[in-house]
Amino acid sequence: MLHVDDEFIVNVRYQCSAAVPVTINVLGYILIVIMSDVFSLSDCDVVGFDLDHTLCRYHLLETSRLIYDSFARYLVEHKGYDKELLTLTPDRWDFCFKGLVMDFEDGHLIKLAEDGTVLRAARGTKILSTEEIVQHYGKKQEWQHFNSLKGSFTRSAKYYFYDNYFDLPGALLSARVVDQMLQSGNQRILDFWKDMMSAIDHNYNTSAFKENTGTYFPSVKKDPGKYLQPCSEAVKAWLRSLKNAGKVLLLITSSHSDYCRLVCEHILGKDFEELFEVVITNALKPGFFSQIPEQRPFRTLVNDEESTEGLPSLDKPGWYSQGNWAHLHELLKTMTGQSEPQVVYFGDSVRSDVFPASCYGNWETVLISEELEGEGAQTSDMKSKDADAEPLEKKGKYDSKNMKTPSAPSEQWGSYFVDVCKGLEEEEEEGSLKYTWCCHSINTYSTIAIPSIEAIADLPLDYKFPRFSPNKPRTTGYYPRPPESLLRMSENSPRE
Ligand SMILES: *[C@@H]1O[C@H](CO)[C@@H](O)[C@H](O)[C@H]1NC(C)=O
């Protein structure tokens, strides 16, 4: 879940890079980790999960529509924006694509290569030509804030990184607002951003679920099955097998306790609390991992209300709010009896989950990337499972029939993992293939990447996954298979 404030990395003490097998942990000790080439769940003492888009898969089409409507209705009803924003034809969804950055200075949305090159850009919803990109960003096509974004993912007053399905439909909405502003000759493009932030807050803030405010929570409460996909029997059995194998199971989500309970009951059943020894809600990631030493204390919850007093330490398992990695780590030592418990964390966001958990927490990380499904990773048994899900999305309730899912490659933006960078120079006419910055971040900060938990639920716990490594081809680390675009790219360059 998303928060407008309080999610900042306040104190980036170390530039984090997993490019060398040396991890500098937050206490400043240098741990030389001789890493094995493979990763296995059976080597972990603790298995932690993010909830939304990780343990819980959403019906992405329905949910994206709902989120778009939630934000658009706020702009129209509360801020007087043109009500044309409320109508949306299905073809518009091709524009909705994860990993884009909105630059507030010019209102552009941009797709970045791993070296900060602008691969593609849009002004409003209009994709710029190579000439326009060169004119705007110079011959090298460099984005000026790349150094500030890379390596820390810090929130900025200058740009916004779309890395999460909860805010992604806002990229399409923002671009449409910029279209309208350009049409009406409004020069002050970026004033709308604070309205977008209010739209997020209005729909997702701490009291919105309880008070039934905004559009998002009331809709999910009314018809959870329309948005949430229950975990399959295979996933439930896999969770139980982890527990039976003596692993400590954790849930760490930035969603609030009330929404978390609704989601978990729907996807796992009323007895979901028996699975997890520690549940942490309103965790305010990535600050949960990164804010040291100014860490937020854990708080107890009574009827979903947080205690005003924070806890000085975390002494026993249970359900808590907020908190920080350091106090949790102490508890995990006691619970596992290990001086350095091996922890793996599953999450869908590079910025909020995988990057901070690996860099600040020194945990293994499994990235859930639904983008892999759009690029050929769908296994045959996932297809049969999707037979349940598909009618709902294909029936064309709403006009989702021809709607591209936000996780699929886009006509306008290409692949999430690689792209062709065209320049104006003659020798570059063909363009050069480049890894996207998102692909680079996956390679750098995650141990492995998978399209869903379902995709590994039938494997034995001691299955050995080849892990991402700077010494290995970029295609290593994806299970069950690397994205198609990346495979094609490796075929073209023998080095990789
Ligand atoms: C959450 O948003 C609702 C609707 O805008 C508002 O009435 C409420 O005061 C907000 N609550 C918090 C805690 O910000």
Side-chain angles (χ1 to χ4, degrees):
M1 190 62 31
L2 221 54
H3 296 269
V4 174
D5 48 20
D6 218 14
E7 218 207 13
F8 294 74
I9 295 180
V10 165
N11 209 351
V12 180
R13 306 213 309 174
Y14 303 105
Q15 201 58 3
C16 178
S17 162
V20 284
V22 173
T23 309
I24 303 175
N25 85 0
V26 284
L27 301 173
Y29 296 121
I30 295 181
L31 301 172
I32 309 287
V33 183
I34 314 288
M35 282 203 286
S36 150
D37 278 354
V38 292
F39 163 75
S40 171
L41 283 167
S42 56
D43 295 335
C44 298
D45 307 303
V46 181
V47 184
F49 297 94
D50 178 28
L51 179 60
D52 299 298
H53 302 284
T54 301
L55 257 188
C56 173
R57 292 239 358 201
Y58 283 74
H59 292 297
L60 212 45
L61 297 182
E62 304 289 342
T63 309
S64 301
R65 268 303 302 239
L66 171 61
I67 292 169
Y68 180 93
D69 289 343
S70 305
F71 295 170
R73 278 181 58 177
Y74 177 82
L75 293 187
V76 172
E77 288 168 12
H78 294 254
K79 299 284 169 180
Y81 284 62
D82 192 331
K83 63 180 187 313
E84 204 196 301
L85 293 174
L86 296 173
T87 56
L88 192 61
T89 52
D91 57 300
R92 287 282 193 166
W93 285 95
D94 182 67
F95 189 84
C96 194
F97 189 72
K98 204 158 111 174
L100 302 179
V101 177
M102 167 145 269
D103 185 326
F104 300 154
E105 223 161 287
D106 46 26
H108 287 184
L109 276 164
I110 55 176
K111 180 184 181 189
L112 290 164
E114 62 178 341
D115 59 1
T117 305
V118 175
L119 294 166
R120 303 192 193 205
R123 180 178 293 130
T125 56
K126 185 183 163 292
I127 299 282
L128 301 185
S129 67
T130 306
E131 288 76 15
E132 287 169 314
I133 289 178
V134 171
Q135 196 176 35
H136 194 87
Y137 297 97
K139 236 171 86 178
K140 289 190 164 162
Q141 298 173 220
E142 283 170 331
W143 183 54
Q144 56 172 337
H145 300 303
F146 185 63
N147 284 333
S148 127
L149 177 62
K150 83 166 187 209
S152 72
F153 298 86
T154 319
R155 280 265 202 257
S156 164
K158 299 211 161 75
Y159 54 81
Y160 189 86
F161 173 41
Y162 282 101
D163 165 57
N164 182 310
Y165 290 123
F166 274 129
D167 57 8
L168 188 53
L172 173 58
L173 180 60
S174 299
R176 292 188 73 194
V177 170
V178 172
D179 280 345
Q180 292 185 344
M181 289 180 151
L182 290 169
Q183 246 168 33
S184 66
N186 186 332
Q187 295 306 301
R188 310 204 45 192
I189 284 187
L190 285 150
D191 287 352
F192 84 90
W193 190 255
K194 62 177 190 312
D195 295 334
M196 280 300 296
M197 289 289 108
S198 311
I200 292 176
D201 190 55
H202 177 75
N203 279 287
Y204 292 146
N205 78 28
T206 0
S207 58
F209 184 94
K210 188 175 57 206
E211 289 167 1
N212 258 327
T213 51
T215 305
Y216 183 80
F217 289 129
S219 307
V220 179
K221 275 172 154 172
K222 211 169 116 206
D223 192 358
K226 184 167 160 190
Y227 305 105
L228 313 175
Q229 304 193 26
C231 288
S232 67
E233 287 311 316
V235 168
K236 289 181 192 165
W238 177 79
L239 289 168
R240 282 192 298 269
S241 73
L242 284 168
K243 200 167 169 64
N244 293 341
K247 317 289 178 203
V248 172
L249 298 197
L250 310 175
L251 193 60
I252 308 177
T253 170
S254 289
S255 285
H256 289 274
S257 51
D258 42 18
Y259 184 61
C260 172
R261 184 173 297 107
L262 177 142
V263 171
C264 286
E265 286 184 355
H266 189 82
I267 66 164
L268 291 167
K270 296 244 184 271
D271 55 355
F272 74 93
E273 278 185 76
E274 288 166 20
L275 276 172
F276 303 101
E277 285 180 75
V278 180
V279 176
I280 301 166
T281 48
N282 195 22
L284 300 167
K285 296 176 291 183
F288 179 86
F289 296 103
S290 62
Q291 291 193 351
I292 287 174
E294 302 86 2
Q295 60 221 7
R296 280 184 289 261
F298 281 97
R299 291 167 196 277
T300 51
L301 285 162
V302 179
N303 296 328
D304 296 312
E305 291 288 336
E306 292 176 349
S307 61
T308 42
E309 286 285 303
L311 300 170
S313 63
L314 199 56
D315 298 330
K316 54 176 197 293
W319 189 320
Y320 300 93
S321 197
Q322 301 194 26
N324 62 85
W325 176 88
H327 289 176
L328 174 62
H329 188 64
E330 289 307 312
L331 175 66
L332 294 177
K333 284 187 195 172
T334 322
M335 289 174 73
T336 60
Q338 306 282 334
S339 59
E340 282 301 329
Q342 293 298 304
V343 184
V344 59
Y345 187 61
F346 288 69
D348 67 303
S349 163
V350 170
R351 175 179 176 274
S352 307
D353 300 320
V354 162
F355 162 72
S358 69
C359 284
Y360 302 100
N362 197 29
W363 288 356
E364 303 273 17
T365 52
V366 177
L367 179 77
I368 308 290
S369 167
E370 291 191 39
E371 284 67 28
L372 290 171
E373 274 181 12
E375 295 215 20
Q378 201 156 25
T379 59
S380 51
D381 57 43
M382 286 163 65
K383 276 192 192 121
S384 59
K385 177 209 69 170
D386 271 7
D388 310 335
E390 256 171 313
L392 191 77
E393 304 196 338
K394 291 232 165 117
K395 237 183 271 167
K397 284 197 206 167
Y398 303 94
D399 42 8
S400 60
K401 201 167 29 177
N402 301 312
M403 177 180 163
K404 182 193 83 77
T405 170
S407 61
S410 145
E411 296 274 329
Q412 292 166 90
W413 295 107
S415 155
Y416 184 66
F417 301 93
V418 300
D419 210 345
V420 180
C421 179
K422 296 202 191 76
L424 292 180
E425 310 281 288
E426 263 158 48
E427 71 270 22
E428 288 173 27
E429 229 163 53
E430 297 273 288
S432 53
L433 280 168
K434 284 196 191 260
Y435 298 103
T436 62
W437 180 62
C438 291
C439 178
H440 171 88
S441 303
I442 293 171
N443 281 228
T444 309
Y445 303 117
S446 44
T447 305
I448 60 168
I450 59 177
S452 61
I453 290 180
E454 182 78 33
I456 62 166
D458 288 333
L459 300 175
L461 295 186
D462 62 358
Y463 184 88
K464 293 182 168 50
F465 297 92
R467 60 163 75 231
F468 287 115
S469 153
N471 318 314
K472 289 275 165 63
R474 300 262 193 148
T475 47
T476 316
Y478 293 98
Y479 182 90
R481 63 192 298 259
E484 238 138 50
S485 55
L486 207 57
L487 281 171
R488 278 198 304 272
M489 180 158 173
S490 328
E491 282 162 17
N492 294 341
S493 60
R495 273 183 310 114
E496 298 249 332

